[in-house]
Amino acid sequence: MVITVSSLIERKLYAPVWKVSDNRTNMTVERVDTFYDLDTIYSTIERMLILIRQLSGVSRFGENGRSLSFELQWMNAIDERKYQIEELRSAVQYLFGQFRKIYLVNKDLYAQLNKRGGRVFELEKTIEAQGDSKCLYFLADAIKYEPALLAMQRVLDRTMREIRIFRTQRNQHKLELCIGHIRSENYDKVYDEYCSSESGLQQLPRIIEAVFERDMKNLMKILLFLSGYRKLNKANSAETFVSGCEFLVQHLRECGDLADHPQCLLIYGFVVDALQERPELSVASLLEDVFRHRLETVRTSLVGSVQRTVRLIQTDPSATASLGRLAHHLADEILIELLKRAYDGDVRNLSNILRFVAHLSRIDHDIVAYRVLYAQMEHYDHLDRPEVFMLAYRIKQTMQAPTFPTASLRGDLERLKASLPPIVVSIMWKTVTIARHESRILLKFSAVGRDVGFSRYTADKNRVELEPLEDGACFRIRGHAINGYLGEGGTGAPIVAPKADSLSNAKFRWRLVPVQGFEYFRVQNAASGAILYSRVPSDETSYDFYNSQEVLQLTGNERILTAQNSYWKITEYPRRSGSGSSGGSGAGDSECCIL
């Protein structure tokens, strides 16, 4: 008779069987326990073999013969035999009860056991029939039941061997399912497969190796599996998370350069999150001391990855792009700590930090980063440095993003914009006028191809727009009325050219260098480094502003530069109503404002 392996999936089987009893007045339904344990049955049979050998007064030596044992004769004293007989009777009763359960669940196995060893149940009837006094002598022949017990053992051996083979195959199948589900990020299914696996913890290193494949792109898949399973609070959730993190760190070190990859910071973040979880939220946070100690050890071993990531942000932010895209899996505290360490009191680090922030995947994290950087600049008195334009540019770009209206921290960003120096807001968000130092003489863009002039009244040709380039590090200066751009010509003199000439020409890019806070600026050409200045009018009484032409020039000679000729006052272009006077003046005259 062939055993049906599918019905023997577990060595410990439980199948619900319902028994209905009718007591005339009411009918009750009770559940019949059909749980049986093959291991316990096997050990019970072994104990019965020992008892019948002791009670029969013989001891087995080898396979072919029996010999009287003097030691057993001493053990088989009358008082001792009573206890042995009672134990044998209890074993027979237990075995009979287990056979009934096996019959309800697996009739094939029951038939084989009953055919080869069913006669052992005669022992209980014999013990009851003989009584205490006669039974002591009759059970000397109990050895005749030994072949039946050995036959049942052989059946159980074969059955459990088939179960072990099936378990091995099933565990291998579950291993493959776990690997496949993690790769496809189907975490709900992998939780079920892993939880039902008998050797999940033993197979965890194989799962991690198979999914990771020495590719950092797969690291997050493993961490999401470990973290998600930890939050399920299963019996082995905490140990799975701790063991998985330990093996990940060890495996990364064995992979050489991967241990220095910035994404290793993700492991640090998940470990810190597990250590800081509030006790009322998760049973897993109430880890045993050994698990918490092991997690602390993992966290300590990953502190170096924090330092390496900070250095990469300061020197090569493009190398941290993959980490930035996954930073939403990290707690805000870790991101804040990274930014503070990267800034390190040096405003020159701001440019690379903002390049790292540009890789963040969520707009709320961008806003958190801007708040931290603004606070750092304020703390170190760096808000009067040119780098503040770079921060303002990133704030403007974020506010123009399509997802900004749905950002939960959009109010924080609007307040942060209002906290910037007013002139920075005017330059980045509005149009401005540029006046010479301590005067009301404004730059005037008359026409493309002509020199930049000056005027003492505010008109549309004095209206200037500063277009940020290179993430706010420099600007293009555009005459709003003529759509012409200020640049450095081939002779080193300022020129006004159309947009097509300014797009890829570095000589049309200008840096604003704050002077006396943001009271004045020097305007420096980004390509040549020359400073924009004006020829100061003559102090002679014969000088006539309206008839004597003032020339805008460029120079790199600091000796001829003074506050009066190279400091420029930038103010917001005044807004006026578009209604003109009803007199004979033209529309252009109505736009003028005499200073």
Side-chain angles (χ1 to χ4, degrees), residues 47-48 51 82-92:
R47 181 59 183 165
M48 290 174 66
L51 289 173
K82 290 182 179 180
Y83 294 110
Q84 292 174 345
I85 291 172
E86 188 61 33
E87 184 180 358
L88 181 61
R89 177 187 295 176
S90 299
V92 173

Side-chain angles (χ1 to χ4, degrees), residues 456 537-550:
R456 295 190 63 180
S538 173
D539 292 333
E540 298 178 1
T541 57
S542 60
Y543 170 75
D544 183 1
F545 170 78
Y546 294 100
N547 297 319
S548 300
Q549 185 176 9
E550 185 174 353

Side-chain angles (χ1 to χ4, degrees), residues 220-239:
M220 180 51 64
K221 297 179 181 179
I222 300 172
L223 289 175
L224 288 177
F225 158 65
L226 294 175
S227 177
Y229 192 71
R230 174 181 66 84
K231 295 176 182 178
L232 291 179
N233 298 328
K234 300 292 185 181
N236 60 344
S237 288
E239 188 172 3

